[in-house]
Amino acid sequence: MKTVILNKGKESKYMNGYPLIEEEDIYQHDTLQEGDLFHLRTSHDIYIATCYVGRQHKGLGWVLTYDESQMIHQSFFEDLFLAALEERRYYYHVDGTTAFRLFNGEGDGVGGLTIDNYNGHLLIQWYSEGIYTFRKQIIEAIKKVFNYTSIYEKTRFKHTRIASGFVTGEAPQFPIVVEENFTFYNVHLDDGPMTGIFLDQKEVRKKIRDYYSEGRQLLNLFSYTGAFSVISAHQAEQTTSVDLANRARHLTEENFGLNGIDPKSQKIFIMDTFDYYKYAERHGLMFDTIVIDPPSFARNKKKTFSVIKDYDKLIKGALPLLNKKGTLVLSTNHSMYSLKAFKNMVKQTMSQLGVEYHIDEVMGLPKDFKTHPHYKPSKYLKVIFITLMH
């Protein structure tokens, strides 16, 4: 077994359960290739954990077990998958929902690996070459533990010879239709890194539908396939979806149609968000609920956007379009942007503008997206609902 020795003073961090082995904490190590197993040891040669090499998030790899005698074979993954399945039995019995996460990386014990269930079609996502080296054992363990119609995989690392695609089972025709909170969405497992719906926002979508859509004008920024708009459209006076990507229009219209909503009764703009702000102001458009859920980083021909640097500009641009006692739904999935920092940014921005508001609710990941208690970036989703006082 290969060995990695920690710098003095770093032992307690990992003995207390931190799962990502960070390069800067390492004193010395054997020659390591992606997928290699290694023992993490203190400077006094005391065993801490067995880990694998999978370079991700500035880390060398991830902890797999704290038991020195544990062998990392197919049965190891089977046991983890069985435990994950037990924690998610609930979701198999929720009326009106057929899509959820089955295994969530470090939260369930293997950083760099996720498994999602889309109405019986399972999607494996590999986040490093290192975890991909365990592909055979992991797929066999999945087949043994989970019921499925088909299994797909996506690689989330760059490699010229490793392709995403169909693995086994009965290959479906795309799109697959999934249901979530009694709302239907099209899913494409074979279309780039995204599938058509972000499963981690399921509870946020339900909250918007149940409390922030009835009789309201709803603006959905960075709308992608329109999921926030689609779930709200039956209750809302009207929804407006804005996204820069050309294909967003077609995908959003399809989702409206799936739910018996005439796409022509709703508004869809293929436009940069900041350009839309100017358009809306020129045309005197006002909204009661504005959902802001940008990517962590984006670049177009005109400019770059970073959540950490530029989110305040999104709030400043939205406020002139918000009716009295209107609501902003502020969301970010940036793993390195802490909830405390995000809240402080909101507070400072609203204070600068002299806007009185109250925080209705702060939401995070749903229970199927199990997080790691000692690794804050695993709690990456932060959603703040704020309503104006006047």
Side-chain angles (χ1 to χ4, degrees), residues 81-101:
F81 295 162
L82 281 165
L85 179 61
E86 280 304 309
E87 292 195 14
R88 291 160 175 87
R89 292 274 183 206
Y90 161 81
Y91 286 97
Y92 283 99
H93 305 289
V94 175
D95 288 341
T97 293
T98 62
F100 47 90
R101 179 149 289 187

Side-chain angles (χ1 to χ4, degrees), residues 52 71 86 121 166 191 245 284-285 345 356 371 383:
Y52 82 89
M71 303 299 288
E86 280 304 309
H121 301 280
F166 175 71
D191 184 21
L285 302 179
M345 178 277 298
E356 292 185 38
T371 60
V383 185

Side-chain angles (χ1 to χ4, degrees), residues 211-229:
Y211 296 97
Y212 297 96
S213 65
E214 189 172 351
R216 293 189 174 208
Q217 288 281 351
L218 181 137
L219 174 61
N220 179 11
L221 300 170
F222 306 95
S223 58
Y224 183 32
T225 61
F228 289 121
S229 304

Side-chain angles (χ1 to χ4, degrees), residues 3 33 40 81 88 103 121 154 159 162 165 176 191 220 229 239 296 312 316 356 382:
T3 299
Q33 304 294 327
L40 185 68
F81 295 162
R88 291 160 175 87
F103 191 88
H121 301 280
K154 287 181 190 283
H159 197 290
I162 300 175
I176 299 164
D191 184 21
N220 179 11
S229 304
T239 69
S296 295
D312 62 323
K316 289 171 183 174
E356 292 185 38
K382 297 154 283 278

Side-chain angles (χ1 to χ4, degrees), residues 258-273:
L258 268 182
N259 291 277
I261 299 159
D262 181 357
K264 292 185 176 65
S265 70
Q266 310 299 313
K267 293 181 179 178
I268 302 171
F269 289 83
I270 303 305
M271 191 181 286
D272 172 81
T273 289

Side-chain angles (χ1 to χ4, degrees), residues 76-279:
F76 169 78
F77 295 108
E78 285 178 24
D79 289 344
L80 288 178
F81 295 162
L82 281 165
L85 179 61
E86 280 304 309
E87 292 195 14
R88 291 160 175 87
R89 292 274 183 206
Y90 161 81
Y91 286 97
Y92 283 99
H93 305 289
V94 175
D95 288 341
T97 293
T98 62
F100 47 90
R101 179 149 289 187
L102 286 171
F103 191 88
N104 195 41
E106 65 276 6
D108 283 299
V110 183
L113 172 73
T114 64
I115 308 168
D116 292 316
N117 172 35
Y118 292 93
N119 197 20
H121 301 280
L122 306 190
L123 175 65
I124 309 166
Q125 296 189 84
W126 314 96
Y127 283 84
S128 70
E129 286 185 55
I131 192 60
Y132 190 83
T133 63
F134 297 93
R135 179 179 183 271
K136 184 177 178 181
Q137 300 101 298
I138 288 171
I139 287 175
E140 288 305 311
I142 288 171
K143 287 159 71 174
K144 200 161 182 180
V145 172
F146 298 113
N147 292 324
Y148 63 90
T149 302
S150 74
I151 299 176
Y152 271 72
E153 63 184 347
K154 287 181 190 283
T155 54
R156 302 299 294 268
F157 57 91
K158 293 180 180 177
H159 197 290
T160 55
R161 297 187 305 278
I162 300 175
S164 301
F166 175 71
V167 178
T168 189
E170 301 170 26
Q173 294 294 310
F174 290 114
I176 299 164
V177 176
V178 300
E179 191 177 8
E180 180 196 277
N181 295 315
F182 298 98
T183 307
F184 298 97
Y185 303 95
N186 279 332
V187 167
H188 297 263
L189 301 185
D190 60 344
D191 184 21
M194 298 190 289
T195 65
I197 189 168
F198 296 112
L199 297 179
D200 53 4
Q201 292 275 19
K202 66 169 72 65
E203 291 179 357
V204 178
R205 282 189 282 273
K206 184 176 185 295
K207 178 70 68 174
I208 291 170
R209 180 195 67 191
D210 292 350
Y211 296 97
Y212 297 96
S213 65
E214 189 172 351
R216 293 189 174 208
Q217 288 281 351
L218 181 137
L219 174 61
N220 179 11
L221 300 170
F222 306 95
S223 58
Y224 183 32
T225 61
F228 289 121
S229 304
V230 171
I231 198 170
S232 303
H234 280 301
Q235 283 87 6
E237 184 176 325
Q238 189 174 55
T239 69
T240 299
S241 304
V242 179
D243 198 284
L244 187 59
N246 284 322
R247 66 180 190 150
R249 179 183 297 278
H250 172 66
L251 296 170
T252 301
E253 287 176 345
E254 283 193 337
N255 278 337
F256 277 131
L258 268 182
N259 291 277
I261 299 159
D262 181 357
K264 292 185 176 65
S265 70
Q266 310 299 313
K267 293 181 179 178
I268 302 171
F269 289 83
I270 303 305
M271 191 181 286
D272 172 81
T273 289
F274 292 102
D275 290 342
Y276 179 78
Y277 283 159
K278 294 172 189 171
Y279 171 89

